[in-house]
Amino acid sequence: MSAADAGSGGVPDRGPAVFAVTTATLVLASVFVAARLYTRLGIVRNISWDDYFIVLAWFLAFGLSFTIDLGATKGLGRYDADIVADDWNDLRRCEYVFSIIYNPALMATKTSILIFYLRLSRNTQQVLRFASWVVLGVVNVAGTVLTLLNIFQCRPVQAAFDRYSGDANCIPLLTEFICSAPVNIVTDLAILALPLPVLTGMRIPYRQKIILVLTFTLGIFVTIVDVVRIYYLQQAITAVSPGVSNNLEATFGDQANFAWNASLSLMWSAVEVNVGIACACIPTLKPLFVRILPAMIIDPDGTLRKGSDTEKQPSDSSRMSHTARGPMLGPVLEPQEAQPAQRRASHSQGSSDSQITALDFLTTPDMTGPAGPTSPTFVPRTSITMTSADNSVYFGFVNMKRPKSMIRTSARDSFKYCTVVTILFVLWGFSYGLLNTLNNVIATVADMTVAQTLGLTSMYFGAGYFFGPLIVGEWILRHDEHRRTKKSNGMPSIGGFKATFMLGLCIYGTGTIMFWPSAVLTSFAGFMISSFIVGFGLAVLETAANPFLALCGPMDYAEMRLLLAQGVQAVATVVAGVLAQKVFFTQIGGSVKTDSATLLDVQWTYLAITLLCVLLALFFYYMPLPEVTDAEMENSTRWLPVDPKKRSVGGLELRTWTLSLAVLAQWCYVAGQEIMSIFFRGLLTPDNSGDTATNRDDHPAELSVSISDYLLIGHTAFAISRFFTAYLAYLSPTHPKVPQPRTVLTICTGLTIVSAILVAALRPKNNPNLLAIPAILFFFSEGPMWPLIFALGLRGQGKHTKCASAWITMGASGPAFWPFVIYGIKQAGRDYQIAFIVVPALLVIMSMFSLFLDLKRDARSLVDARVGAEEQLRIIASGNEELDLHNVILRRRRTGSIATEHPPNFVKRLSMTLGKGLGHLRRNSGNSEPATTEHHEVKRYSPG
């Protein structure tokens, strides 16, 4: 017990500290609300809906703080044994009122902020308005549900605030508080991030832009306070049962020593509400700042400081006139000393060089009400309409060169952009490695059956990867394509690779933070929902990230780029597995007792991942990334030595066959990969008793190292094989003796089938460690398959490339079904090795894709297409110039046709010689010109 916890007479008492902190933050909030009301009523003389809601929030905050302060005088902060008997009823009523008021106070505060955002984004940022409405709906729906849950926390309700002598059933209040924490964190982060794109895109002086951004990011303190509150909530519930209680004599919250355990978390709840109200008021105090601190925008001589006087101009001043993202809203406060004629002249010009100061912008929009006799005059400033230059974008505070089209990106630029996107691969590699271990821990803690454990994997891959790419990923990735045929009314397009990255990160971050309530309640349904949302978000990310790496840069090295990024992802999986086994869940295994508190140890990692997702989404918003249109992709197929639309087997197009077989191969491959990961323990356990959920023994005596360590070795071999194959893909365009990517895929498929058969057939009785050798070989040989299938499947898809990416990503949904087949065979009385024969069967089906590429001449020409260095430079420098394009098409298709055919026989060589002689005679006689002949030949071979 610390000195701060000791009250008078040595009785532990946190009440005085709770009272002091709660009262101080309430005073702070009251000062800011009073300043806001004075500004809006006394200076601006206009009040709006966000002001009404902030006043409502203050009344609720006052009631919240008052109940905590009153409770602190009645025993809040003491152990149950130290609370005076006469204070029990008052204390329970204070705690009950607090539990009801807390969520409405947060709702009113956040609603006020979001209404301000809606007016801030009027006529400018459609995305901000849509996102604000979504967050507003989440805030109010979740807040209403939680409020009703708190009101009816006990059955009957009287048992929540009075000593009820009959039968009662109550929800543990601390558990409910921490379960609602993800909603608060997600909405806090959304409110913090939403206005930043608009604020940083404003064309205002540099110093004032910093003031503007800092003003709106003060809300980070609310998020910090919420995290501290959650920490104390976690500390409070670790010593009590999270289950529902029916104790007839239970104290409030259905948990013993609730007044002591919950005191600090209740205090931080009041701090969260009060600080949130203060931060919400700051952006509206600009007119008050003008009167109190005029030197910030007015020079000592009393003249208004213009933006041009303080602005830091970029080196290229011509770019600055094109940096605004859209028109700036809101009337501005003009000083009374300004001459009306000068203002009219200024507004009549409508010049794009006019400035709007940051503190002018902090005056909320719609302040155009009637002015009183002593009020300052409000004159609306003409909107600043600017167009974006074709070669520059506005990156926060500076200008950056707009990237080229993705398919015309040089090798140097490609390295820069692909390195940035590889961060996403690190993110989901880490997530996969953590979830791979976490699922087994969840199964142990919650005493799940094997079928329930398989359900978590099924939701992650089967549901998330099945619905994510097709419903959301492809729609967002191609949304800008739909808008190209419609009038955008000056609004920026919201589709493409960048938008897909941002949306996928937001969905993924929401899924990771939802792990918190699931861990607290050890709820199987909660874990299922969290796994689904995480898989859904990652599937949306992969829908854009994989084709981005395959398309961004020289065509010849698409496989190399994707293999390198997937290799980094595999390394992140290994690192996450090591952290999970050696840091987070060290107490799992053997006879060590495990409970739900074990899962709480990893929740801070998930919080860090959520924060990282928000930061990455903002980073990708500002980072200028290249895009590509469907038309450009369709035109790029003309560089291939064979027409992808050429009819092939069964009358289907060649690219239709490659895509269909790629999706099937991906579906079978991911199913086999997950079967090995899920049932790895059962395969290595000699007596086949190592079920994924029921067996805690991680290191049987028969094995030299633990099963988890063997799995880490397998994942390491998996990562090494991807880097090794990436090196081969780097050499293959310039070294004829190095196997092509399609050949490497065939070799890897064959090795995987052989190793899978060995895993199913070997029965080493004396040394079961021998079975780990083919298992690790299986991991090594399967490593390059996903990126190779993806890159080869996209080749030649043209205008269907983005849609093809969604379908190939959907192929990862194979684990939705096949692990249950393995488990069914085990339940039928067979061991896991017998059941594992399903894996080589799946891989044989998968081999149809690589065999089609190897045996079908047109498919081989399609995926082996190579563009020389000179031709690549032409693509980058001059784009698709018609003359050069036709020459290259003619040369490539002649070369590809000759290379793939058998050497001509004597009769054919003779006819070719005669044909050349006749052509020579025609040219000498002037009957035909080479250019014309070549033009017709090109038209005959060109697609479309």
Side-chain angles (χ1 to χ4, degrees):
M1 181 183 66
S2 64
D5 294 336
S8 60
V11 177
D13 189 3
R14 294 172 173 172
V18 172
F19 184 96
V21 173
T22 301
T23 304
T25 54
L26 176 62
V27 171
L28 177 69
S30 302
V31 170
F32 276 93
V33 171
R36 175 172 182 161
L37 293 179
Y38 172 77
T39 302
R40 303 307 303 273
L41 296 174
I43 301 178
V44 177
R45 299 200 175 183
N46 181 279
I47 195 166
S48 54
W49 278 105
D50 52 338
D51 302 308
Y52 292 129
F53 274 99
I54 208 65
V55 172
L56 174 62
W58 181 85
F59 277 108
L60 293 171
F62 178 83
L64 181 77
S65 302
F66 178 80
T67 56
I68 294 178
D69 288 344
L70 181 60
T73 64
K74 298 296 183 179
L76 181 64
R78 294 186 178 186
Y79 289 105
D80 291 350
D82 299 325
I83 299 176
V84 180
D86 294 338
D87 292 337
W88 267 113
N89 289 333
D90 293 336
L91 175 60
R92 295 194 66 173
R93 289 184 175 90
C94 289
E95 292 168 334
Y96 179 69
V97 172
F98 163 83
S99 66
I100 296 175
I101 295 179
Y102 170 70
N103 286 294
L106 286 180
M107 289 168 55
T109 304
K110 295 179 180 180
T111 300
S112 174
I113 298 173
L114 291 168
I115 290 176
F116 174 74
Y117 287 176
L118 288 172
R119 296 194 293 115
L120 169 69
S121 59
R122 184 177 300 172
N123 301 326
T124 53
Q125 291 288 339
Q126 183 181 4
V127 178
L128 175 58
R129 289 186 60 82
F130 176 77
S132 298
W133 278 113
V134 171
V135 177
L136 186 63
V138 171
V139 166
N140 287 276
V141 171
T144 302
V145 172
L146 293 172
T147 301
L148 294 175
L149 190 63
N150 289 329
I151 294 174
F152 303 102
Q153 59 187 272
C154 289
R155 295 193 305 269
V157 178
Q158 180 184 353
F161 55 84
D162 198 0
R163 283 183 175 270
Y164 187 73
S165 58
D167 294 336
N169 223 347
C170 298
I171 299 173
L173 198 61
L174 288 177
T175 302
E176 190 266 325
F177 280 171
I178 200 169
C179 288
S180 64
V183 177
N184 287 338
I185 291 181
V186 169
T187 53
D188 285 344
L189 293 176
I191 290 173
L192 182 67
L194 280 176
L196 293 183
V198 176
L199 303 179
T200 55
M202 294 176 61
R203 183 174 173 266
I204 57 178
Y206 181 81
R207 187 192 66 171
Q208 295 180 4
K209 179 175 288 188
I210 294 178
I211 297 174
L212 183 65
V213 173
L214 291 179
T215 301
F216 276 80
T217 54
L218 288 175
I220 189 66
F221 292 108
V222 181
T223 306
I224 295 173
V225 170
D226 199 15
V227 172
V228 174
R229 169 181 171 268
I230 292 170
Y231 170 78
Y232 283 106
L233 281 173
Q234 177 181 333
Q235 296 298 313
I237 70 171
T238 52
V240 296
S241 173
V244 176
S245 172
N246 57 3
N247 182 7
L248 300 183
E249 297 296 329
T251 57
F252 180 76
D254 246 5
Q255 294 168 340
N257 294 317
F258 178 86
W260 168 266
N261 292 326
S263 57
L264 294 181
S265 59
L266 265 60
M267 178 192 74
W268 282 104
S269 299
V271 172
E272 177 189 8
V273 173
N274 293 329
V275 172
I277 291 174
C279 292
C281 292
I282 292 176
T284 65
L285 302 181
K286 172 261 173 179
L288 186 61
F289 289 159
V290 172
R291 291 192 175 184
I292 298 175
L293 301 173
M296 293 188 67
I297 60 172
I298 299 178
D299 284 326
D301 60 0
T303 60
L304 182 66
R305 180 176 297 176
K306 297 296 182 182
S308 58
D309 299 333
T310 60
E311 181 177 6
K312 294 184 178 180
Q313 296 291 342
S315 57
D316 187 357
S317 59
S318 62
R319 292 181 182 178
M320 194 61 189
S321 61
H322 301 285
T323 57
R325 295 187 182 274
M328 295 296 101
L329 287 182
V332 295
L333 177 65
E334 299 286 356
Q336 294 180 355
E337 294 79 10
Q339 296 296 326
Q342 294 177 354
R343 290 202 300 269
R344 287 192 298 269
S346 174
H347 294 303
S348 63
Q349 291 174 2
S351 173
S352 63
D353 293 330
S354 60
Q355 298 285 337
I356 178 171
T357 64
L359 294 182
D360 282 336
F361 183 78
L362 289 182
T363 303
T364 54
D366 298 339
M367 293 183 182
T368 55
T374 61
S375 63
T377 305
F378 290 90
V379 181
R381 185 184 296 261
T382 303
S383 298
I384 306 172
T385 305
M386 303 177 190
T387 58
S388 299
D390 292 336
N391 62 346
S392 66
V393 296
Y394 197 58
F395 183 75
F397 301 118
V398 297
N399 290 318
M400 292 187 67
K401 187 176 181 181
R402 184 180 298 276
K404 300 177 181 178
S405 172
M406 189 179 297
I407 59 175
R408 294 194 292 118
T409 305
S410 65
R412 177 177 298 179
D413 290 338
S414 171
F415 176 80
K416 175 179 61 178
Y417 297 129
C418 291
T419 301
V420 172
V421 176
T422 303
I423 300 174
L424 300 176
F425 287 82
V426 177
L427 185 65
W428 71 64
F430 187 86
S431 172
Y432 175 78
L434 193 61
L435 288 174
N436 199 34
T437 304
L438 184 62
N439 284 348
N440 292 333
V441 177
I442 291 171
T444 303
V445 172
D447 292 327
M448 294 182 185
T449 64
V450 178
Q452 287 178 317
T453 308
L454 295 179
L456 298 179
T457 302
S458 179
M459 289 298 291
Y460 179 86
F461 283 101
Y465 271 80
F466 183 83
F467 293 105
L470 300 181
I471 296 179
V472 175
E474 191 270 344
W475 185 79
I476 293 296
L477 189 60
R478 298 194 67 248
H479 190 258
D480 57 339
E481 295 291 339
H482 304 313
R483 288 182 63 97
R484 294 181 201 282
T485 59
K486 301 177 182 179
K487 295 182 179 180
S488 60
N489 297 325
M491 298 295 179
S493 176
I494 57 174
F497 288 92
K498 179 187 293 188
T500 310
F501 292 155
M502 295 171 61
L503 180 62
L505 285 168
C506 292
I507 298 174
Y508 171 63
T510 302
T512 56
I513 200 63
M514 285 186 64
F515 169 80
W516 283 38
S518 306
V520 174
L521 300 173
T522 58
S523 168
F524 174 71
F527 289 130
M528 292 280 284
I529 295 174
S530 178
S531 297
F532 168 72
I533 297 178
V534 168
F536 195 99
L538 290 180
V540 172
L541 280 174
E542 289 213 60
T543 303
N546 286 308
F548 184 95
L549 292 171
L551 301 175
C552 185
M555 181 192 306
D556 295 353
Y557 299 99
E559 295 84 2
M560 181 205 70
R561 293 190 296 270
L562 193 52
L563 281 164
L564 283 177
Q566 293 280 2
V568 173
Q569 178 258 348
V571 171
T573 300
V574 174
V575 173
V578 172
L579 290 176
Q581 297 174 19
K582 308 301 182 182
V583 178
F584 297 135
F585 308 120
T586 55
Q587 63 271 53
I588 299 295
S591 60
V592 178
K593 178 64 177 176
T594 305
D595 55 21
S596 60
T598 304
L599 301 177
L600 296 180
D601 295 336
V602 77
Q603 70 181 14
W604 301 106
T605 303
Y606 277 94
L607 174 61
I609 292 176
T610 302
L611 295 176
L612 179 62
C613 288
V614 175
L615 294 176
L616 284 177
L618 288 173
F619 173 77
F620 278 109
Y621 177 86
Y622 291 117
M623 181 65 189
L625 294 177
E627 298 282 348
V628 66
T629 65
D630 287 348
E632 288 175 307
M633 288 304 307
E634 184 67 20
N635 195 36
S636 69
T637 61
R638 303 171 68 187
W639 294 89
L640 300 174
V642 64
D643 184 3
K645 294 185 291 185
K646 181 180 180 180
R647 298 295 174 179
S648 185
V649 181
L652 297 177
E653 293 182 357
L654 180 61
R655 63 184 177 187
T656 302
W657 269 110
T658 56
L659 175 60
S660 302
L661 292 176
V663 173
L664 178 63
Q666 207 75 286
W667 192 73
C668 295
Y669 155 71
V670 180
Q673 173 190 345
E674 287 307 304
I675 287 173
M676 172 60 82
S677 297
I678 294 171
F679 298 102
F680 189 78
R681 181 186 303 273
L683 292 170
L684 292 189
T685 304
D687 58 356
N688 291 296
S689 62
D691 286 344
T692 59
T694 59
N695 186 25
R696 293 186 179 184
D697 190 4
D698 189 56
H699 195 169
E702 298 84 357
L703 297 178
S704 301
V705 298
S706 66
I707 295 175
S708 58
D709 288 339
Y710 267 132
L711 189 60
L712 285 176
I713 294 173
H715 286 156
T716 303
F718 183 89
I720 293 174
S721 66
R722 285 186 168 179
F723 287 111
F724 176 73
T725 310
Y727 180 68
L728 295 180
Y730 170 73
L731 296 176
S732 61
T734 54
H735 294 73
K737 294 184 179 181
V738 176
Q740 297 295 323
R742 59 174 172 81
T743 306
V744 174
L745 178 61
T746 303
I747 296 173
C748 289
T749 305
L751 289 176
T752 308
I753 294 174
V754 171
S755 58
I757 293 175
L758 291 177
V759 170
L762 288 180
R763 296 293 190 277
K765 296 182 179 180
N766 298 328
N767 188 5
N769 293 283
L770 295 177
L771 194 60
I773 297 177
I776 294 174
L777 178 62
F778 180 91
F779 278 104
F780 179 85
S781 55
E782 71 170 353
M785 287 185 178
W786 170 280
L788 287 177
I789 294 172
F790 212 107
L792 295 174
L794 289 182
R795 189 66 67 101
Q797 294 301 321
K799 63 182 180 181
H800 303 298
T801 299
K802 296 177 182 178
C803 183
S805 172
W807 280 98
I808 298 176
T809 305
M810 185 276 297
S813 60
F817 171 74
W818 290 106
F820 288 99
V821 174
I822 301 295
Y823 178 63
I825 296 175
K826 176 64 168 59
Q827 291 298 102
R830 303 292 182 178
D831 58 27
Y832 280 122
Q833 285 185 267
I834 294 296
F836 196 74
I837 199 66
V838 171
V839 174
L842 288 173
L843 295 174
V844 169
I845 298 175
M846 174 201 152
S847 65
M848 295 171 56
F849 177 60
S850 59
L851 292 177
F852 177 79
L853 299 182
D854 275 330
L855 300 180
K856 184 67 176 175
R857 185 182 65 187
D858 292 336
R860 188 165 61 247
S861 301
L862 178 67
V863 297
D864 285 352
R866 294 291 176 253
V867 177
E870 181 180 353
E871 296 161 355
Q872 185 65 42
L873 289 176
R874 290 180 179 178
I875 298 175
I876 298 171
S878 58
N880 296 326
E881 293 184 3
E882 197 65 19
L883 179 60
D884 291 341
L885 178 63
H886 284 324
N887 289 337
V888 173
I889 291 173
L890 180 63
R891 183 168 64 256
R892 292 298 301 159
R893 292 190 174 170
R894 282 177 174 174
T895 304
S897 177
I898 295 174
T900 54
E901 293 181 355
H902 295 289
N905 53 28
F906 173 76
V907 176
K908 195 169 185 178
R909 291 198 301 270
L910 179 62
S911 62
M912 291 171 62
T913 303
L914 293 175
K916 290 180 179 178
L918 292 175
H920 180 70
L921 292 175
R922 292 193 188 98
R923 285 192 295 271
N924 290 339
S925 61
N927 294 333
S928 178
E929 294 181 2
T932 304
T933 303
E934 185 177 58
H935 176 70
H936 285 291
E937 193 167 359
V938 169
K939 290 186 65 177
R940 185 172 62 253
Y941 281 92
S942 296

